[in-house]
Amino acid sequence: MMKKFTHTTTCTWSNILVASLLATVLLTGCGGDKKPAPAAGGAQPAATTAAAPEAKVEPALTGKIGSVNFTSQKLAGASFLAKSTQRGYMLRYKGDLVYGNAETKTWTALKVDSPRAAVDKSLFTDGVLQGDEDFHRGWLTADSSGKLYRTASAFTYPFENGKFASTKIFTKANGNFIIAPDGKTGYEFGLKNLDMYKLKGNEVVTSSKLTHPFKFGITGMTIAPDGKLYVVGNTNTANEMKNKWLVMSADGQQLGLYGSEDKKAPDYLKGIFNSIAVTDKYVAIIDSLGSLYLWGKDGKFMGQAKEEALFGKGHTNNEIVNWDGNSIMAWNYNQKSDSNNKVQFDFYLITF
């Protein structure tokens, strides 16, 4: 597996509130015997607390990828700070954006109402799920019914009764496990392997290896609502990258292989790591250099957009996931220049 990331939910508004309260204490403590005027009827006036300001909504970025219009909206209220650029995985779960924070070993659920997002306290424990020492291996996946799984240390665990079950299932899994939307089939991919599991509840009924062209490194995979697999990786060697993407049927039949081997071609995938996501009409791949490549579902290459056009200046190391029929979700980080040298992580909803 060639990707890894970080998330840290920083209590920005809590810090502002603490600072506000401290300032109030200092002002009342140093201002002599001044007291608020009594309310009518002799009652004391009700205490008031200034509400924390809402996160600023930035204007959406718009442009074209070939002939396809796009809008890229940064989600206000979703950004957070971390000490490093290591991340966790993200996914759509029960309509929320769930992301992992490697620094705090947590997953956080965000209710997205573009252009804003906020912690959804109805999921997990007030919106946060605590991980453990295996967090860095904690790939999350969920089916369309909302059943959630976590893969770690070569095993996969179902999320039941508010926590991950201690019973290890899918005992042959040795990579990242993705459950199909119907919850009856799972796929596991690693550096070179791509395996399919037929499931009955939490039990593996059958398992088989799928034939694929990626000789050195599957770097990304997603499953469309119709059950088709979209896989991206290197079809050559570590020294001579030839990155392509493949679409497969739910039973593992290869339906098309796309991407050029010509380094000068516009559809040549340059990055070492590539992440893949799909909408109803398009297949999107974002590489480790920040460019987003777009194909039609029929394999027609539409074009590419540079990182700055999608996210503005200073962003890097992007990851994308399926969101809805017209959109994908992206996240990346921006190295802050303050004295603490923090890294800011941001989320963008990209709509075609």
Side-chain angles (χ1 to χ4, degrees), residues 21 27 42 56 63 76 83 125 154 161 199 209 230 240 283 322 346:
L21 293 174
L27 287 173
K56 179 182 177 181
K83 295 179 181 178
T125 302
N161 301 318
L199 313 173
K209 292 188 176 298
Y230 292 82
E240 184 65 25
V283 177
N322 302 350
D346 301 308

Side-chain angles (χ1 to χ4, degrees), residues 311-329:
F311 310 115
K313 295 182 178 180
H315 293 269
T316 190
N317 199 21
N318 306 287
E319 176 81 3
I320 56 177
V321 295
N322 302 350
W323 190 250
D324 59 29
N326 300 311
S327 307
I328 62 174
M329 188 68 72

Side-chain angles (χ1 to χ4, degrees), residues 74-272:
K74 181 180 178 181
L75 296 181
S79 302
F80 66 93
L81 296 176
K83 295 179 181 178
S84 74
T85 59
Q86 186 187 10
R87 301 201 301 254
Y89 298 98
M90 68 172 176
L91 76 159
R92 183 165 182 163
Y93 175 60
K94 293 188 175 180
D96 281 5
L97 173 64
V98 174
Y99 69 84
N101 182 333
E103 189 170 296
T104 58
K105 296 183 176 64
T106 57
W107 290 278
T108 299
L110 296 177
K111 181 68 68 179
V112 177
D113 185 13
S114 183
R116 297 184 181 277
V119 175
D120 183 357
K121 294 189 176 182
S122 69
L123 280 182
F124 308 137
T125 302
D126 290 332
V128 179
L129 179 61
Q130 185 65 53
D132 55 22
E133 66 277 2
D134 270 338
F135 177 88
H136 62 290
R137 303 184 182 115
W139 179 278
L140 293 183
T141 181
D143 62 22
S144 59
S145 73
K147 190 170 183 179
L148 182 67
Y149 302 87
R150 169 184 176 237
T151 299
S153 297
F155 298 100
T156 298
Y157 306 81
F159 186 73
E160 298 172 343
N161 301 318
K163 63 182 180 179
F164 288 108
S166 58
T167 303
K168 299 174 182 179
I169 60 174
F170 313 129
T171 55
K172 294 182 180 180
N174 56 4
N176 298 307
F177 178 82
I178 301 180
I179 191 75
D182 63 9
K184 298 178 181 179
T185 309
Y187 303 88
E188 179 271 322
F189 71 91
L191 185 61
K192 295 182 180 180
N193 59 298
L194 178 56
D195 300 330
M196 178 173 66
Y197 298 88
K198 290 296 183 181
L199 313 173
K200 186 176 182 180
N202 291 336
E203 299 295 326
V204 174
V205 179
T206 62
S207 64
S208 58
K209 292 188 176 298
L210 301 182
T211 302
H212 63 83
F214 304 111
K215 298 178 182 178
F216 191 86
I218 295 175
T219 61
M221 177 177 165
T222 192
I223 305 177
D226 63 4
K228 288 181 180 177
L229 315 182
Y230 292 82
V231 190
V232 61
N234 176 17
T235 61
N236 199 26
T237 67
N239 295 325
E240 184 65 25
M241 305 292 288
K242 292 181 180 178
N243 295 308
K244 295 187 177 184
W245 66 272
L246 172 72
V247 58
M248 307 177 78
S249 64
D251 61 359
Q253 299 299 309
Q254 297 183 33
L255 303 177
L257 182 65
Y258 306 97
S260 177
E261 295 185 5
D262 181 356
K263 293 182 179 180
K264 296 181 180 180
D267 59 341
Y268 174 78
L269 294 167
K270 300 180 180 66
I272 296 175

